[in-house]
Amino acid sequence: MADVRRSLAKLVMLGLFATVPAMSAAQAATTDGRAPRRLMERWAVATPMLGGGLPGWYSKIPDIHVHQPRNLARIPLAEIDLLRRRAMVAFEALMRQPSLHDVRGASLQADINIAVVPTLDGVRLVGAILSINAKSVIEGKPDTIQRDGRYLTPSEEGAVLSVHLNPYDMMARRRVQAEGVERGGFQVRTGAAYGIYAADRLPDYDPNSDYAWGPRALALELQDDRSWYQPMAAGVHPLLAHVSSHSHENEDLRGDRLNPDRPLARLAAAMFMLDWDDIRRRMKAVT
C-alpha cells in the first residue's frame, strides 16, 4: 500500500490527477418518476434552502483505498489512476447537488475503494466503488466534534450512496429486482433500497413478460467487462448508483414518509437529480 501511495503522490506532483469540471446544480436533471415527490420538492434546484442544524463536515476529495491482492497480479497504477479520475466525475457532480452542497445537520465522508473483485467463475476483474457516507450531526451530543470549522457526530448510524464502476458483485451476490426503464437508466431495487443502472447497452427487460428479470445473466456479462480501466477494452461502461440505510428508513423513503433532511433522504435526492447516463458520458471522456 505504501508504494501505491508514493506513486500516487508522484502523479499529484506532476499534475496528472487533475479533475474534470463539475456540473453546477443548475445543470441537475429533472427527477425521474420513481423519486418521492415530497423529497424532491424540498431539494429542488429552485428551492435553495440549506436547512437547519450545525454546518456539517464533508470530504473535499474522497479518501482513496487501493486493496492490492496478496497472491495475484497487482493492479497497475495506470488502471488505478483512470478509475480514480473517472469516479471523481461522479463525486463532484453529487457534491454540487442542493441536498449535499454546504451541508447542514449532516456530515459526508467520501471514499473510493479500488480492488480485484473475485468472480464466481474465477475471472480477474478490477472494480471501483465511490461511496458517500452521510450521518446526522447532533448538536450537544458529547461525541459531536469540530473539524475544519464544521461538525460531525461519529457515533451516529449512517446512510450510504454508492456508485459502482461495474456492479458485478452486486448483480452476482445480491437479490436485485428490476423496476423499469426511465431516462436512459435501468431502475432496480435491493429490498426497499433504490438503484439506477446505466450502461452503453441496457439489459433486455419486458415489464409485461411472464418471466421475472434476474441479475445472473447480467453478472455473467459484467465479469468480463474491463471498459472502465482498460482503454479500448470491449464492454459497456456499466455503472450502478445505489442508496441505502437500515430497512425501516429505506421503506420510509420509498413511501415518501422520511424527513427530507435525514441523511438518507439527502443522498437519495442527489442520486435522483443526476442524469446518470450523462455522468457516464463525462466519465468516459476522461482518458
Side-chain angles (χ1 to χ4, degrees):
M1 185 65 181
D3 59 333
V4 170
R5 288 176 177 167
R6 284 195 295 270
S7 299
L8 292 174
K10 290 179 182 178
L11 288 174
V12 171
M13 293 174 64
L14 292 170
L16 297 179
F17 267 14
T19 59
V20 301
M23 291 190 303
S24 68
Q27 291 175 287
T30 56
T31 60
D32 66 42
R34 284 192 312 162
R37 180 174 298 179
R38 186 168 68 98
L39 170 71
M40 302 316 297
E41 287 175 351
R42 166 66 178 90
W43 292 114
V45 174
T47 313
M49 299 180 297
L50 296 178
L54 294 171
W57 178 86
Y58 58 89
S59 298
K60 301 295 192 300
I61 59 172
D63 291 340
I64 304 172
H65 312 278
V66 180
H67 308 277
Q68 292 284 13
R70 292 184 178 181
N71 301 316
L72 299 172
R74 295 173 66 80
I75 307 171
L77 182 59
E79 293 180 1
I80 295 169
D81 179 27
L82 186 56
L83 284 168
R84 188 208 70 88
R85 288 184 292 117
R86 285 176 160 172
M88 282 295 297
V89 176
F91 169 73
E92 292 179 348
L94 285 164
M95 294 297 287
R96 292 181 72 92
Q97 298 310 302
S99 59
L100 302 184
H101 179 68
D102 193 20
V103 64
R104 291 178 175 271
S107 62
L108 305 171
Q109 168 69 50
D111 298 272
I112 296 173
N113 281 275
I114 299 172
V116 172
V117 180
T119 74
L120 298 178
D121 295 335
V123 177
R124 186 181 189 277
L125 176 69
V126 177
I129 303 174
L130 162 69
S131 61
I132 300 178
N133 189 299
K135 296 185 175 185
S136 294
V137 175
I138 310 299
E139 187 171 3
K141 192 169 184 177
D143 71 327
T144 296
I145 58 176
Q146 188 173 13
R147 182 185 295 176
D148 301 330
R150 303 178 76 91
Y151 296 86
L152 65 156
T153 308
S155 62
E156 286 294 294
E157 290 187 7
V160 180
L161 170 59
S162 301
V163 180
H164 301 250
L165 276 63
N166 192 333
Y168 164 82
D169 202 58
M170 180 80 76
M171 297 298 172
R173 294 181 170 88
R174 295 282 297 276
R175 186 168 181 266
V176 181
Q177 296 173 284
E179 292 199 294
V181 177
E182 187 171 340
R183 295 197 308 149
F186 182 47
Q187 300 171 342
V188 299
R189 65 186 290 170
T190 57
Y194 287 109
I196 300 173
Y197 174 85
D200 296 340
R201 183 184 67 255
L202 296 182
D204 292 331
Y205 172 66
D206 180 0
N208 300 315
S209 171
D210 292 334
Y211 300 96
W213 178 85
R216 176 60 177 163
L218 179 57
L220 288 173
E221 293 181 16
L222 296 183
Q223 72 176 349
D224 293 312
D225 194 309
R226 295 165 177 77
S227 54
W228 280 124
Y229 60 92
Q230 291 183 355
M232 308 304 293
V236 296
H237 298 91
L239 176 151
L240 175 71
H242 182 264
V243 64
S244 182
S245 180
H246 44 79
S247 59
H248 79 261
E249 274 212 336
N250 291 340
E251 293 284 0
D252 285 347
L253 174 65
R254 187 169 283 272
D256 209 5
R257 299 181 299 272
L258 188 64
N259 182 333
D261 288 284
R262 287 287 297 165
L264 175 63
R266 288 173 173 271
L267 294 174
M271 182 186 77
F272 278 123
M273 291 184 77
L274 286 181
D275 180 338
W276 287 100
D277 209 39
D278 180 66
I279 296 297
R280 278 193 332 103
R281 287 191 291 269
R282 292 167 178 264
M283 292 166 68
K284 288 166 60 177
V286 175
T287 58

